Structures are given as structure tokens and as C-alpha cells.
Amino acid sequence: DSGVTQTPKHLITATGQRVTLRCSPRSGDLSVYWYQQSLDQGLQFLIQYYNGEERAKGNILERFSAQQFPDLHSELNLSSLELGDSALYFCASSPVGQATGELFFGEGSRLTVL
Amino acid sequence: GENVEQHPSTLSVQEGDSAVIKCTYSDSASNYFPWYKQELGKGPQLIIDIRSNVGEKKDQRIAVTLNKTAKHFSLHITETQPEDSAVYFCAASIRAGANNLFFGTGTRLTVIP
């Protein structure tokens, strides 16, 4: 158990809809990262937050947004969903301001868009 | 940006044999190279990492080698066991702690008992 909690584990929705994925980082970790894992694809970095503020952006679509709350949990919002958004979305956390080398991943939220 | 290529995409070995997974990277500024293992239904977990000032690092049955000149690094698993079956990801970054960690596309390793 990495200590990172993601909900929901599975989500099925229709095209055009909006969903929110939630992540609780390890106790004390200030940084939260979101990754997307599509079929046969590696892990694509989406966005990072540190202590409530956006720190870095990767390949995140404009239809997606995220935030980190004062209690350090984070949410990833996906809107106007398309079939291609079906993927496994991982949250990871790391201690201090930036990763000391290791990212601790949650078990992921599997999104299926029909 | 950095481009990490990983081969093979699938690998099957007999229990007890060795497994080797290779990665190449494009950015010569990269100097931190972790390997993550992802078991079925779980998130990736760091198993070993290497920094550019080291050519090889070992941890029990797992070793990683780095060739900075050729820009490639490899994961070696010896005496494989069924519990080694998983998807393995290599990654590269300009430094440990950087948020721009670039992952390879993964290798599905199957260890046949």
C-alpha cells in the first residue's frame, strides 16, 4: 500500500459528460502529480501541484483541469469527454517540495467513456 | 523534450532465467533513471534507480546499467521468479526530484513457472 488513495476505482460514463477524479496523497506529501495511462501507452504526465499551487503542466488537454485543496487532496476534472479519454488515471505524491526521486502512485482510476 | 524508448514491449522467460529490458533516451541532460514495476491492478512502484555519476547499481536480483555516451540504460533481473511477472517502466529526468519524469511505454514481463 503506497498510502495514496484514489477514488473512484472505476468509472463508466458517456461522451460529452464531465467527471471528477479524487486523490488523497500520502500523509505529509505536499506534491501531487497526475498521469494518464492509455492502452499500450506509457505514463503521460498531466500536471503537478505543490502545496495548493500548480507547479508544472505536461500533456494536459484544455478540457481537463485540476486543483489541490488546503488539505492537500487533489481533484482532476475531465469535461466534454471523448472516447479517446478512456484510460487509467494515476495520482502520485512525493515528499517535500519536489520528488526526492520516488513517486508514490495510487492504484488508479479507470475511466471508460462510451 | 525527452523521448524514452523501451524494448521489448513483451518478454517471456522461464523461471530461473534472466530478463533484460532496455531503454534509450534522447536528452543528454537527463541524469536520473528510475525503474518502476506495475503489478496487475496496482500503481507503479519504484524498484531501483540510478544517477548519471554511476554506471551500475545492484539490489539483490535486480541491477541497472547506464551508458551515458550511448544514452541507454538497462534493467537486469536474474533468477526470475513468478512474482517478477509485471509491467516494468523505465523513465528519465534531468535530475531526481524533477517533475518532468518521462516514462517509456512499458515491458510486460511474464515468468513461466
Side-chain angles (χ1 to χ4, degrees), chain A residues 40-58:
Chain A
D40 295 330
Q41 293 289 315
L43 292 152
Q44 299 292 319
F45 169 66
L46 297 178
I47 197 165
Q48 179 204 1
Y49 278 83
Y50 167 59
N51 202 21
E53 295 193 2
E54 183 183 302
R55 176 61 64 94
K57 259 185 176 178

Side-chain angles (χ1 to χ4, degrees), chain B residues 35-104:
Chain B
W35 286 86
Y36 282 79
K37 175 184 180 183
Q38 184 179 14
E39 296 178 340
L40 194 62
K42 301 203 171 170
Q45 183 176 10
L46 179 72
I47 54 172
I48 194 167
D49 58 12
I50 190 168
R51 287 160 171 78
S52 62
N53 57 344
V54 176
E56 182 175 358
K57 183 176 179 181
K58 254 186 148 178
D59 183 3
Q60 300 183 331
R61 297 185 297 109
I62 293 174
V64 57
T65 59
L66 171 65
N67 183 328
K68 282 223 76 179
T69 303
K71 291 192 213 153
H72 68 71
F73 55 113
S74 301
L75 178 71
H76 304 253
I77 306 174
T78 59
E79 300 171 21
T80 53
Q81 300 168 2
E83 52 264 38
D84 294 329
S85 295
V87 178
Y88 291 82
F89 292 97
C90 63
S93 175
I94 58 171
R95 59 180 168 83
N99 50 45
N100 52 346
L101 192 61
F102 294 89
F103 283 87

Side-chain angles (χ1 to χ4, degrees), chain A residues 9 16 22 36 53 59 68 80:
Chain A
K9 290 192 185 303
R22 182 188 168 103
Q36 180 192 57
E53 295 193 2
N59 301 319
Q68 186 178 27
S80 302

